Amino acid sequence: MAPPIPKVLMVAEKPSIALSIASVLSRNQASTRRGSTEVHEFDGKFLGSPAHFKVTSVIGHVFSVDFPAKYQDWAATDPLDLFQAQVLKNESNPKAHICRHLSQEARGCRYLVLWLDCDREGENICFEVIQCTGFKTNDTYRARFSSVTEKDVVKALDNLVKPNKDEALAVDARQEIDLKVGVAFTRFQTSYFQGKYGNLDSRVISYGPCQTPTLGFCVQRYLQINTFKSEKFWSLHPYIIESGYEIQLEWQRGKLFDINVAMMFQKLVSEDGLLEVTEISEKQETKSRPVGLNTVNLLKVASSALGFGPQMAMQLAERLYTQGFISYPRTESTAYPPSFDFLGVLSAQTNNPTWGNYVQGLLTAGYQKPRPGTDVGDHPPITPMRSAAEDMLGNDAWKLYQYICQHFIGTVSPDCKYIRRKVEFSIGGESFHCTGQHVVTKGFTAIMPWLALNDKNIPSFVKGQKIEVSKLELYEGITSPPDYLTESELISLMEKNGIGTDASIPVHINNICERNYVQVQAGRKLVPTPLGITLVRGYQTIDPDLCLPDIRSFIEQQITLIAKGQVDHRHVVQHVIQQFIQKFSYFVKKIEDMDALFEAQFSTLTESGRILSKCGKCLRYMKYSTQPPRLYCGTCEEVYYLPQKEIIKLYKELSCPLDNFELLICSMPGPDGKSFPLCPYCYSNPPFEGIEALINTAKTGSAGKIGKGSGMPCSLCPHPSCPNSLVSQGVCACPECSGTLVLDPISAPRWRLCCNMCNCLVFLAQGAHRISTTKERCPECDSSIIEVDFNKKTTPLEDGATLHRGCILCDELLHSLVEMKHGRSFKHMSSRGRGRGRKGGRGRGRGGGKMMDPKMSFRDF
């Protein structure tokens, strides 16, 4: 009996990459089935023998680093303790169940082939996949590739290697350092300043080992602008007329800052009156074609020329890569490997409607060997892999793709050559000159016209020739300060100083914008906000190292040594953490020096905000501030944080039965934005044991935990008798997640249920006069019975009755009026409505099948 054909599990970093790999290796014959991510199956050959392949993917990192649960409460944890705390790896996206998916797909497989992106992050994800699947080292292989073209994928499969543990450990080290340092400083700063000032314009006052030096560059330029002192200067500009041209001559001295000296030279030149040609030079010069395109240079051009921020540029580049139009977009190398197929890449562009004719001419005349660049040993420069037109990509992606193509074609085009003429003059003992140029060969500037040189013609002169000055101008100017940093300039500074990597630079720039430390203005200029300026000035006052690039540059160097296997990653982490423990302790000791700067710039909580609701402790009114959203009781000197980006109003002057605080109603913006009540005290100080786990599940986006474990609205409160709690207002389980559908109390006349954990909405009987929950439970599914008081004019009940009770899942009438948004539809259940109308009518349904979905049980109560 023949042995069974071995199975090979292949894992890519994104579903689109998995599909491309499977399509190439199966010649588009793979079968596809659903999973947490799609799985593509086909038969082929592996290591020379028949095999059955399964190709699936992760969605980025499987795990992320975090602190254990006991360190999550800001109030109960000293930030200094975080430096020595254990670090855990939790699933990055628990709802996607990627770890379980990989484990299930690995069952029965003999080999594992890792098709993760070929950089340090990808190497780290390799070992996350190995951890999930349980494969041994001998049965695990790594595919190294730079594009998802057929040629590269097949070549990668034929040249498998082993995953690099050192590169993965380098990422582990960076993640642990950034987590501990960033969270410790961020918690301390946020707790200290948010409790004192009311108009900081930021919910979190964050610190990051990369983020803060990045902000430091922007603020340093701001300070240079503000402290700049303008000075007047003067320059001599003689004019001559020759062969019909009026030419302004340039002074060899450039400019002078003393008006008296400048006027002396003006008098000397004016008294002489005749210019003599003393030297004529002419030589051919070359403007060199560009080297290969790496990530940093792509980001700089995208910002300065295309108007795309770094984050958007990388998103577009990654999309082009996953679609197979360009090679891997994260690379530091500008040198092409010796084996690079220039002919193949150029030939793929010959039919392009925009530059196909130029490429054809280049192939006919012979393309140039690229200039030697820098080979970092990661990936080749960013290169077009197949031809595309604008209608295939969309406007923004096309602009980026067009530049990548033009840059690549430029690297194998001839240099631009031109003749430069310079004529030097003498008058009154002073030297002047004029220059001209004539382009001989356009070279690469024909395909990159924005770099083209323009002809500048000047008349012919003869050495010794004397020419009369037609006009003599003493030009008065004034020095001007530098402009704000552009994104392109900031990227150059970050690269030069070793802040971040080609992959993380866009993230750091995006972070300082998201935190409201800088604002992007016209021309992609980065202008620091008062908060960003005050923070950096504070760091400079206490410990300049905290905002200078030196420490981060050192850390990046050490991480590179880890990746090369030259140092132990634990020693590096311990050394860096010990440094920051000392810096953090000193920072805490000297925080009043930074506080003095904050006090001069921002308003205290007592001076800001508007009166909104009563405090349950002192029964005095509290003030509401929007930046960030919070209530402040001036009597108790307590701060209560509220959800972000929502409209906050007083809720019918109702009070919480637990603490007597007046309730608020929070409404998300938009027609489908849900509303929910909350108690300010319970939201910041959840009163029930174990509720934090439910809060953490419900957190999405920026509505994260701040301060004392905030995050419990009434829709998560398990109070048994409060009329606004989950127990009273919850109706049934959400079909989308583990949450509960809760009646939106102010949604009339568009009555709806909202999930207390996700964005699922269920619209009920529209236009009803009133809908409320009852204490009755459905005998079929255990959901809460709701009571609907229909509008007299539109009631669906017999004999004009308006009042009806029933379960929205089991009552045919109510179920027929349900409409889902942002979610899957309910499965139908058979049941009869038992409610009676005010005139004795009985609500009737229309029948249906038994609902079998176990998610519909009312399990959260």
Side-chain angles (χ1 to χ4, degrees), residues 48-63:
S49 302
H52 180 76
F53 292 92
K54 295 199 291 183
V55 185
T56 188
S57 75
V58 293
I59 42 177
H61 274 284
V62 183
F63 300 108

Side-chain angles (χ1 to χ4, degrees), residues 112 114-117 121-131 140 142 163:
L112 174 65
L114 300 157
W115 292 83
L116 286 308
D117 290 351
E121 296 291 335
E123 218 65 30
N124 188 264
I125 300 173
C126 281
F127 285 89
E128 294 178 350
V129 173
I130 292 171
Q131 179 181 335
T140 302
R142 175 74 158 106

